[in-house]
PDB file of all heavy atoms in Angstrom:
ATOM      1  N   LEU A   1     -15.306  12.513  -8.867  1.00  0.00           N
ATOM      2  CA  LEU A   1     -14.452  12.998  -7.777  1.00  0.00           C
ATOM      3  C   LEU A   1     -13.962  14.414  -8.061  1.00  0.00           C
ATOM      4  O   LEU A   1     -13.960  15.273  -7.182  1.00  0.00           O
ATOM      5  CB  LEU A   1     -13.269  12.049  -7.593  1.00  0.00           C
ATOM      6  CG  LEU A   1     -12.298  12.358  -6.465  1.00  0.00           C
ATOM      7  CD1 LEU A   1     -12.954  12.123  -5.107  1.00  0.00           C
ATOM      8  CD2 LEU A   1     -11.046  11.498  -6.601  1.00  0.00           C
ATOM      9  N   LEU A   2     -13.567  14.661  -9.300  1.00  0.00           N
ATOM     10  CA  LEU A   2     -13.050  15.979  -9.678  1.00  0.00           C
ATOM     11  C   LEU A   2     -14.113  17.072  -9.601  1.00  0.00           C
ATOM     12  O   LEU A   2     -13.783  18.253  -9.544  1.00  0.00           O
ATOM     13  CB  LEU A   2     -12.471  15.936 -11.095  1.00  0.00           C
ATOM     14  CG  LEU A   2     -11.205  15.109 -11.259  1.00  0.00           C
ATOM     15  CD1 LEU A   2     -10.849  14.978 -12.731  1.00  0.00           C
ATOM     16  CD2 LEU A   2     -10.054  15.710 -10.472  1.00  0.00           C
ATOM     17  N   ARG A   3     -15.368  16.691  -9.567  1.00  0.00           N
ATOM     18  CA  ARG A   3     -16.468  17.668  -9.542  1.00  0.00           C
ATOM     19  C   ARG A   3     -17.039  17.919  -8.147  1.00  0.00           C
ATOM     20  O   ARG A   3     -17.937  18.756  -7.992  1.00  0.00           O
ATOM     21  CB  ARG A   3     -17.582  17.195 -10.464  1.00  0.00           C
ATOM     22  CG  ARG A   3     -17.163  17.184 -11.904  1.00  0.00           C
ATOM     23  CD  ARG A   3     -18.302  16.792 -12.797  1.00  0.00           C
ATOM     24  NE  ARG A   3     -17.895  16.914 -14.182  1.00  0.00           N
ATOM     25  CZ  ARG A   3     -18.323  16.133 -15.147  1.00  0.00           C
ATOM     26  NH1 ARG A   3     -19.177  15.172 -14.886  1.00  0.00           N
ATOM     27  NH2 ARG A   3     -17.911  16.303 -16.383  1.00  0.00           N
ATOM     28  N   LEU A   4     -16.538  17.200  -7.146  1.00  0.00           N
ATOM     29  CA  LEU A   4     -17.084  17.350  -5.800  1.00  0.00           C
ATOM     30  C   LEU A   4     -16.834  18.744  -5.237  1.00  0.00           C
ATOM     31  O   LEU A   4     -15.760  19.318  -5.407  1.00  0.00           O
ATOM     32  CB  LEU A   4     -16.489  16.313  -4.852  1.00  0.00           C
ATOM     33  CG  LEU A   4     -16.882  14.859  -5.085  1.00  0.00           C
ATOM     34  CD1 LEU A   4     -16.194  13.960  -4.074  1.00  0.00           C
ATOM     35  CD2 LEU A   4     -18.389  14.672  -5.024  1.00  0.00           C
ATOM     36  N   LYS A   5     -17.841  19.263  -4.557  1.00  0.00           N
ATOM     37  CA  LYS A   5     -17.766  20.551  -3.863  1.00  0.00           C
ATOM     38  C   LYS A   5     -18.026  20.302  -2.381  1.00  0.00           C
ATOM     39  O   LYS A   5     -18.370  19.199  -1.975  1.00  0.00           O
ATOM     40  CB  LYS A   5     -18.826  21.517  -4.409  1.00  0.00           C
ATOM     41  CG  LYS A   5     -18.794  21.705  -5.901  1.00  0.00           C
ATOM     42  CD  LYS A   5     -17.702  22.635  -6.305  1.00  0.00           C
ATOM     43  CE  LYS A   5     -17.796  22.950  -7.783  1.00  0.00           C
ATOM     44  NZ  LYS A   5     -16.616  22.745  -8.520  1.00  0.00           N
ATOM     45  N   ASP A   6     -17.884  21.350  -1.567  1.00  0.00           N
ATOM     46  CA  ASP A   6     -18.037  21.178  -0.121  1.00  0.00           C
ATOM     47  C   ASP A   6     -19.404  20.623   0.270  1.00  0.00           C
ATOM     48  O   ASP A   6     -19.501  19.769   1.140  1.00  0.00           O
ATOM     49  CB  ASP A   6     -17.723  22.471   0.633  1.00  0.00           C
ATOM     50  CG  ASP A   6     -18.538  23.664   0.170  1.00  0.00           C
ATOM     51  OD1 ASP A   6     -19.216  23.588  -0.875  1.00  0.00           O
ATOM     52  OD2 ASP A   6     -18.489  24.689   0.865  1.00  0.00           O
ATOM     53  N   HIS A   7     -20.474  21.081  -0.382  1.00  0.00           N
ATOM     54  CA  HIS A   7     -21.800  20.580  -0.019  1.00  0.00           C
ATOM     55  C   HIS A   7     -21.960  19.101  -0.376  1.00  0.00           C
ATOM     56  O   HIS A   7     -22.680  18.374   0.307  1.00  0.00           O
ATOM     57  CB  HIS A   7     -22.917  21.436  -0.630  1.00  0.00           C
ATOM     58  CG  HIS A   7     -22.949  21.446  -2.123  1.00  0.00           C
ATOM     59  ND1 HIS A   7     -22.104  22.235  -2.884  1.00  0.00           N
ATOM     60  CD2 HIS A   7     -23.712  20.755  -3.000  1.00  0.00           C
ATOM     61  CE1 HIS A   7     -22.358  22.034  -4.157  1.00  0.00           C
ATOM     62  NE2 HIS A   7     -23.322  21.138  -4.263  1.00  0.00           N
ATOM     63  N   HIS A   8     -21.255  18.645  -1.409  1.00  0.00           N
ATOM     64  CA  HIS A   8     -21.280  17.217  -1.731  1.00  0.00           C
ATOM     65  C   HIS A   8     -20.596  16.413  -0.627  1.00  0.00           C
ATOM     66  O   HIS A   8     -21.077  15.339  -0.247  1.00  0.00           O
ATOM     67  CB  HIS A   8     -20.560  16.939  -3.057  1.00  0.00           C
ATOM     68  CG  HIS A   8     -21.190  17.574  -4.248  1.00  0.00           C
ATOM     69  ND1 HIS A   8     -20.496  18.405  -5.086  1.00  0.00           N
ATOM     70  CD2 HIS A   8     -22.456  17.506  -4.734  1.00  0.00           C
ATOM     71  CE1 HIS A   8     -21.296  18.815  -6.049  1.00  0.00           C
ATOM     72  NE2 HIS A   8     -22.490  18.293  -5.854  1.00  0.00           N
ATOM     73  N   LEU A   9     -19.472  16.938  -0.153  1.00  0.00           N
ATOM     74  CA  LEU A   9     -18.741  16.225   0.909  1.00  0.00           C
ATOM     75  C   LEU A   9     -19.607  16.084   2.155  1.00  0.00           C
ATOM     76  O   LEU A   9     -19.600  15.036   2.801  1.00  0.00           O
ATOM     77  CB  LEU A   9     -17.441  16.961   1.237  1.00  0.00           C
ATOM     78  CG  LEU A   9     -16.397  16.975   0.116  1.00  0.00           C
ATOM     79  CD1 LEU A   9     -15.215  17.837   0.528  1.00  0.00           C
ATOM     80  CD2 LEU A   9     -15.944  15.570  -0.222  1.00  0.00           C
ATOM     81  N   GLU A  10     -20.352  17.121   2.476  1.00  0.00           N
ATOM     82  CA  GLU A  10     -21.234  17.055   3.639  1.00  0.00           C
ATOM     83  C   GLU A  10     -22.303  15.973   3.434  1.00  0.00           C
ATOM     84  O   GLU A  10     -22.578  15.184   4.339  1.00  0.00           O
ATOM     85  CB  GLU A  10     -21.892  18.414   3.880  1.00  0.00           C
ATOM     86  CG  GLU A  10     -22.604  18.499   5.201  1.00  0.00           C
ATOM     87  CD  GLU A  10     -23.047  19.903   5.529  1.00  0.00           C
ATOM     88  OE1 GLU A  10     -22.571  20.870   4.905  1.00  0.00           O
ATOM     89  OE2 GLU A  10     -23.886  20.031   6.443  1.00  0.00           O
ATOM     90  N   LEU A  11     -22.859  15.918   2.234  1.00  0.00           N
ATOM     91  CA  LEU A  11     -23.855  14.891   1.932  1.00  0.00           C
ATOM     92  C   LEU A  11     -23.261  13.485   1.970  1.00  0.00           C
ATOM     93  O   LEU A  11     -23.966  12.516   2.260  1.00  0.00           O
ATOM     94  CB  LEU A  11     -24.475  15.143   0.553  1.00  0.00           C
ATOM     95  CG  LEU A  11     -25.360  16.378   0.431  1.00  0.00           C
ATOM     96  CD1 LEU A  11     -25.731  16.630  -1.020  1.00  0.00           C
ATOM     97  CD2 LEU A  11     -26.601  16.241   1.298  1.00  0.00           C
ATOM     98  N   LEU A  12     -21.951  13.393   1.701  1.00  0.00           N
ATOM     99  CA  LEU A  12     -21.268  12.100   1.729  1.00  0.00           C
ATOM    100  C   LEU A  12     -20.842  11.693   3.135  1.00  0.00           C
ATOM    101  O   LEU A  12     -20.258  10.633   3.326  1.00  0.00           O
ATOM    102  CB  LEU A  12     -20.048  12.123   0.809  1.00  0.00           C
ATOM    103  CG  LEU A  12     -20.352  12.266  -0.682  1.00  0.00           C
ATOM    104  CD1 LEU A  12     -19.070  12.419  -1.472  1.00  0.00           C
ATOM    105  CD2 LEU A  12     -21.169  11.096  -1.195  1.00  0.00           C
ATOM    106  N   GLY A  13     -21.111  12.554   4.126  1.00  0.00           N
ATOM    107  CA  GLY A  13     -20.812  12.216   5.506  1.00  0.00           C
ATOM    108  C   GLY A  13     -19.595  12.898   6.093  1.00  0.00           C
ATOM    109  O   GLY A  13     -19.233  12.636   7.237  1.00  0.00           O
ATOM    110  N   VAL A  14     -18.950  13.774   5.334  1.00  0.00           N
ATOM    111  CA  VAL A  14     -17.802  14.528   5.852  1.00  0.00           C
ATOM    112  C   VAL A  14     -18.356  15.826   6.417  1.00  0.00           C
ATOM    113  O   VAL A  14     -18.572  16.792   5.690  1.00  0.00           O
ATOM    114  CB  VAL A  14     -16.753  14.810   4.746  1.00  0.00           C
ATOM    115  CG1 VAL A  14     -15.566  15.566   5.320  1.00  0.00           C
ATOM    116  CG2 VAL A  14     -16.317  13.530   4.080  1.00  0.00           C
ATOM    117  N   GLU A  15     -18.600  15.848   7.716  1.00  0.00           N
ATOM    118  CA  GLU A  15     -19.278  16.981   8.334  1.00  0.00           C
ATOM    119  C   GLU A  15     -18.325  18.041   8.870  1.00  0.00           C
ATOM    120  O   GLU A  15     -18.657  19.218   8.886  1.00  0.00           O
ATOM    121  CB  GLU A  15     -20.211  16.483   9.439  1.00  0.00           C
ATOM    122  CG  GLU A  15     -21.318  15.590   8.879  1.00  0.00           C
ATOM    123  CD  GLU A  15     -22.183  14.981   9.958  1.00  0.00           C
ATOM    124  OE1 GLU A  15     -21.926  15.208  11.152  1.00  0.00           O
ATOM    125  OE2 GLU A  15     -23.123  14.261   9.597  1.00  0.00           O
ATOM    126  N   ALA A  16     -17.130  17.643   9.295  1.00  0.00           N
ATOM    127  CA  ALA A  16     -16.184  18.596   9.861  1.00  0.00           C
ATOM    128  C   ALA A  16     -15.651  19.516   8.760  1.00  0.00           C
ATOM    129  O   ALA A  16     -15.137  19.047   7.738  1.00  0.00           O
ATOM    130  CB  ALA A  16     -15.029  17.871  10.548  1.00  0.00           C
ATOM    131  N   VAL A  17     -15.769  20.806   8.981  1.00  0.00           N
ATOM    132  CA  VAL A  17     -15.332  21.794   7.995  1.00  0.00           C
ATOM    133  C   VAL A  17     -13.845  21.649   7.700  1.00  0.00           C
ATOM    134  O   VAL A  17     -13.418  21.757   6.546  1.00  0.00           O
ATOM    135  CB  VAL A  17     -15.673  23.227   8.470  1.00  0.00           C
ATOM    136  CG1 VAL A  17     -15.106  24.269   7.526  1.00  0.00           C
ATOM    137  CG2 VAL A  17     -17.177  23.389   8.612  1.00  0.00           C
ATOM    138  N   GLU A  18     -13.048  21.374   8.737  1.00  0.00           N
ATOM    139  CA  GLU A  18     -11.607  21.220   8.540  1.00  0.00           C
ATOM    140  C   GLU A  18     -11.308  20.046   7.608  1.00  0.00           C
ATOM    141  O   GLU A  18     -10.440  20.132   6.739  1.00  0.00           O
ATOM    142  CB  GLU A  18     -10.879  21.008   9.878  1.00  0.00           C
ATOM    143  CG  GLU A  18     -11.071  22.112  10.893  1.00  0.00           C
ATOM    144  CD  GLU A  18     -12.386  21.999  11.668  1.00  0.00           C
ATOM    145  OE1 GLU A  18     -12.962  20.886  11.753  1.00  0.00           O
ATOM    146  OE2 GLU A  18     -12.851  23.031  12.168  1.00  0.00           O
ATOM    147  N   GLN A  19     -12.027  18.949   7.793  1.00  0.00           N
ATOM    148  CA  GLN A  19     -11.831  17.769   6.948  1.00  0.00           C
ATOM    149  C   GLN A  19     -12.280  18.073   5.517  1.00  0.00           C
ATOM    150  O   GLN A  19     -11.622  17.663   4.559  1.00  0.00           O
ATOM    151  CB  GLN A  19     -12.603  16.571   7.505  1.00  0.00           C
ATOM    152  CG  GLN A  19     -12.382  15.294   6.730  1.00  0.00           C
ATOM    153  CD  GLN A  19     -10.952  14.791   6.808  1.00  0.00           C
ATOM    154  OE1 GLN A  19     -10.276  14.977   7.793  1.00  0.00           O
ATOM    155  NE2 GLN A  19     -10.496  14.153   5.746  1.00  0.00           N
ATOM    156  N   GLN A  20     -13.400  18.783   5.382  1.00  0.00           N
ATOM    157  CA  GLN A  20     -13.860  19.175   4.048  1.00  0.00           C
ATOM    158  C   GLN A  20     -12.803  20.003   3.343  1.00  0.00           C
ATOM    159  O   GLN A  20     -12.517  19.783   2.157  1.00  0.00           O
ATOM    160  CB  GLN A  20     -15.152  19.978   4.136  1.00  0.00           C
ATOM    161  CG  GLN A  20     -16.362  19.186   4.540  1.00  0.00           C
ATOM    162  CD  GLN A  20     -17.605  20.050   4.662  1.00  0.00           C
ATOM    163  OE1 GLN A  20     -17.621  21.197   4.237  1.00  0.00           O
ATOM    164  NE2 GLN A  20     -18.645  19.494   5.261  1.00  0.00           N
ATOM    165  N   GLN A  21     -12.213  20.960   4.064  1.00  0.00           N
ATOM    166  CA  GLN A  21     -11.195  21.826   3.470  1.00  0.00           C
ATOM    167  C   GLN A  21      -9.960  21.026   3.046  1.00  0.00           C
ATOM    168  O   GLN A  21      -9.385  21.268   1.986  1.00  0.00           O
ATOM    169  CB  GLN A  21     -10.804  22.949   4.438  1.00  0.00           C
ATOM    170  CG  GLN A  21     -11.905  23.966   4.665  1.00  0.00           C
ATOM    171  CD  GLN A  21     -12.392  24.594   3.369  1.00  0.00           C
ATOM    172  OE1 GLN A  21     -11.600  24.999   2.538  1.00  0.00           O
ATOM    173  NE2 GLN A  21     -13.699  24.668   3.206  1.00  0.00           N
ATOM    174  N   GLU A  22      -9.565  20.073   3.878  1.00  0.00           N
ATOM    175  CA  GLU A  22      -8.415  19.230   3.551  1.00  0.00           C
ATOM    176  C   GLU A  22      -8.683  18.439   2.272  1.00  0.00           C
ATOM    177  O   GLU A  22      -7.835  18.374   1.363  1.00  0.00           O
ATOM    178  CB  GLU A  22      -8.108  18.282   4.710  1.00  0.00           C
ATOM    179  CG  GLU A  22      -6.925  17.388   4.463  1.00  0.00           C
ATOM    180  CD  GLU A  22      -6.671  16.409   5.602  1.00  0.00           C
ATOM    181  OE1 GLU A  22      -7.318  16.510   6.667  1.00  0.00           O
ATOM    182  OE2 GLU A  22      -5.823  15.529   5.415  1.00  0.00           O
ATOM    183  N   ILE A  23      -9.870  17.850   2.190  1.00  0.00           N
ATOM    184  CA  ILE A  23     -10.227  17.075   1.003  1.00  0.00           C
ATOM    185  C   ILE A  23     -10.310  17.977  -0.219  1.00  0.00           C
ATOM    186  O   ILE A  23      -9.811  17.630  -1.293  1.00  0.00           O
ATOM    187  CB  ILE A  23     -11.549  16.309   1.231  1.00  0.00           C
ATOM    188  CG1 ILE A  23     -11.347  15.227   2.303  1.00  0.00           C
ATOM    189  CG2 ILE A  23     -12.056  15.695  -0.073  1.00  0.00           C
ATOM    190  CD1 ILE A  23     -12.616  14.546   2.754  1.00  0.00           C
ATOM    191  N   LEU A  24     -10.912  19.153  -0.065  1.00  0.00           N
ATOM    192  CA  LEU A  24     -11.032  20.080  -1.193  1.00  0.00           C
ATOM    193  C   LEU A  24      -9.662  20.532  -1.695  1.00  0.00           C
ATOM    194  O   LEU A  24      -9.460  20.688  -2.906  1.00  0.00           O
ATOM    195  CB  LEU A  24     -11.900  21.278  -0.813  1.00  0.00           C
ATOM    196  CG  LEU A  24     -13.390  20.969  -0.633  1.00  0.00           C
ATOM    197  CD1 LEU A  24     -14.111  22.173  -0.042  1.00  0.00           C
ATOM    198  CD2 LEU A  24     -14.025  20.537  -1.944  1.00  0.00           C
ATOM    199  N   GLN A  25      -8.715  20.726  -0.783  1.00  0.00           N
ATOM    200  CA  GLN A  25      -7.357  21.088  -1.201  1.00  0.00           C
ATOM    201  C   GLN A  25      -6.714  19.945  -1.994  1.00  0.00           C
ATOM    202  O   GLN A  25      -6.073  20.181  -3.025  1.00  0.00           O
ATOM    203  CB  GLN A  25      -6.495  21.427   0.012  1.00  0.00           C
ATOM    204  CG  GLN A  25      -6.819  22.780   0.604  1.00  0.00           C
ATOM    205  CD  GLN A  25      -6.008  23.081   1.851  1.00  0.00           C
ATOM    206  OE1 GLN A  25      -5.327  22.215   2.398  1.00  0.00           O
ATOM    207  NE2 GLN A  25      -6.074  24.317   2.311  1.00  0.00           N
ATOM    208  N   ASP A  26      -6.905  18.723  -1.516  1.00  0.00           N
ATOM    209  CA  ASP A  26      -6.360  17.575  -2.241  1.00  0.00           C
ATOM    210  C   ASP A  26      -7.036  17.406  -3.602  1.00  0.00           C
ATOM    211  O   ASP A  26      -6.389  17.053  -4.592  1.00  0.00           O
ATOM    212  CB  ASP A  26      -6.497  16.300  -1.414  1.00  0.00           C
ATOM    213  CG  ASP A  26      -5.567  16.289  -0.218  1.00  0.00           C
ATOM    214  OD1 ASP A  26      -4.543  17.004  -0.239  1.00  0.00           O
ATOM    215  OD2 ASP A  26      -5.855  15.562   0.743  1.00  0.00           O
ATOM    216  N   LEU A  27      -8.341  17.675  -3.653  1.00  0.00           N
ATOM    217  CA  LEU A  27      -9.057  17.602  -4.926  1.00  0.00           C
ATOM    218  C   LEU A  27      -8.565  18.677  -5.887  1.00  0.00           C
ATOM    219  O   LEU A  27      -8.464  18.436  -7.099  1.00  0.00           O
ATOM    220  CB  LEU A  27     -10.560  17.732  -4.716  1.00  0.00           C
ATOM    221  CG  LEU A  27     -11.248  16.545  -4.044  1.00  0.00           C
ATOM    222  CD1 LEU A  27     -12.721  16.838  -3.817  1.00  0.00           C
ATOM    223  CD2 LEU A  27     -11.064  15.274  -4.848  1.00  0.00           C
ATOM    224  N   LEU A  28      -8.235  19.850  -5.357  1.00  0.00           N
ATOM    225  CA  LEU A  28      -7.689  20.910  -6.204  1.00  0.00           C
ATOM    226  C   LEU A  28      -6.369  20.476  -6.833  1.00  0.00           C
ATOM    227  O   LEU A  28      -6.127  20.700  -8.028  1.00  0.00           O
ATOM    228  CB  LEU A  28      -7.511  22.197  -5.401  1.00  0.00           C
ATOM    229  CG  LEU A  28      -6.986  23.399  -6.177  1.00  0.00           C
ATOM    230  CD1 LEU A  28      -7.893  23.751  -7.347  1.00  0.00           C
ATOM    231  CD2 LEU A  28      -6.836  24.589  -5.242  1.00  0.00           C
ATOM    232  N   LEU A  29      -5.534  19.804  -6.050  1.00  0.00           N
ATOM    233  CA  LEU A  29      -4.274  19.281  -6.600  1.00  0.00           C
ATOM    234  C   LEU A  29      -4.537  18.252  -7.698  1.00  0.00           C
ATOM    235  O   LEU A  29      -3.849  18.243  -8.726  1.00  0.00           O
ATOM    236  CB  LEU A  29      -3.428  18.665  -5.491  1.00  0.00           C
ATOM    237  CG  LEU A  29      -2.861  19.632  -4.456  1.00  0.00           C
ATOM    238  CD1 LEU A  29      -2.169  18.862  -3.338  1.00  0.00           C
ATOM    239  CD2 LEU A  29      -1.914  20.618  -5.100  1.00  0.00           C
TER     240      LEU A  29
END
């Protein structure tokens, strides 16, 4: 989980850029 990047999220089915950014911010925390 700590290693996920935006392209991984897209492959996991998170296609909306806004949702990817939200998840990436939470992952950064």
Side-chain angles (χ1 to χ4, degrees):
L1 182 69
L2 292 172
R3 294 183 175 147
L4 291 179
K5 306 281 187 232
D6 55 349
H7 63 280
H8 297 124
L9 294 175
E10 191 170 344
L11 292 171
L12 294 174
V14 181
E15 297 175 358
V17 174
E18 302 82 22
Q19 183 65 32
Q20 289 178 12
Q21 291 304 313
E22 181 183 352
I23 293 172
L24 290 171
Q25 285 177 350
D26 290 337
L27 290 176
L28 182 58
L29 292 174

